[in-house]
Amino acid sequence: MKESLLKDVQKSPAFGILIVTYEVCDISVTENLMTFTQFHDSTSESVCTQFLSCENILSEFSSADAESIAQLIISELRDDNLDVSKLAGFSSDGASVMVGKCSGVTTRKGFYIRL
């Protein structure tokens, strides 16, 4: 099912991502990064928003800071063979770790969004 979704996103001239983070404060102590993608589906001739992934940031990094989140997002997109240069939109909860003008995710090297 994910393969079909990725093929549709890859065919689209551009795509966007919606990032949601949430912390689980039980004994597991996880910081989850949920990623959704939005793209134009040429088959249905409509804009589609689909779930892409859910990753525990702390399973690969020691903290859920902007650098770690940016690296995880870029890594996920590349692992899914999605062309980062076609990333045309980024949406999040507005937290400074995501969109802070000095050190947020969107300021990180390799995370350029063409508008």
Side-chain angles (χ1 to χ4, degrees):
M1 185 164 172
K2 185 173 180 179
E3 293 80 19
S4 175
L5 167 63
L6 292 175
K7 285 180 185 178
D8 290 341
V9 176
Q10 290 163 350
K11 287 190 290 186
S12 183
F15 67 95
I17 55 174
L18 165 65
I19 303 297
V20 179
T21 59
Y22 63 94
E23 182 177 0
V24 177
C25 296
D26 61 6
I27 196 167
S28 66
V29 186
T30 60
E31 283 278 349
N32 294 302
L33 181 80
M34 291 181 60
T35 307
F36 297 82
T37 184
Q38 189 171 56
F39 61 98
H40 180 263
D41 183 1
S42 58
T43 305
S44 67
E45 290 295 322
S46 63
V47 175
C48 298
T49 303
Q50 297 288 327
F51 172 78
L52 192 59
S53 66
C54 182
E55 299 284 335
N56 178 4
I57 302 165
L58 300 178
S59 68
E60 295 185 40
F61 301 97
S62 59
S63 70
D65 61 3
E67 184 65 29
S68 301
I69 293 170
Q71 285 182 25
L72 183 57
I73 293 169
I74 296 296
S75 174
E76 282 185 51
L77 295 176
R78 289 190 175 140
D79 289 349
D80 289 339
N81 292 316
L82 297 177
D83 185 355
V84 178
S85 70
K86 291 169 65 173
L87 181 60
F90 178 87
S91 178
S92 74
D93 59 3
S96 61
V97 72
M98 293 294 178
V99 295
K101 68 179 183 178
C102 295
S103 61
V105 168
T106 56
T107 66
R108 299 296 159 175
K109 181 180 177 186
F111 201 88
Y112 173 75
I113 299 174
R114 64 180 168 82
L115 299 175

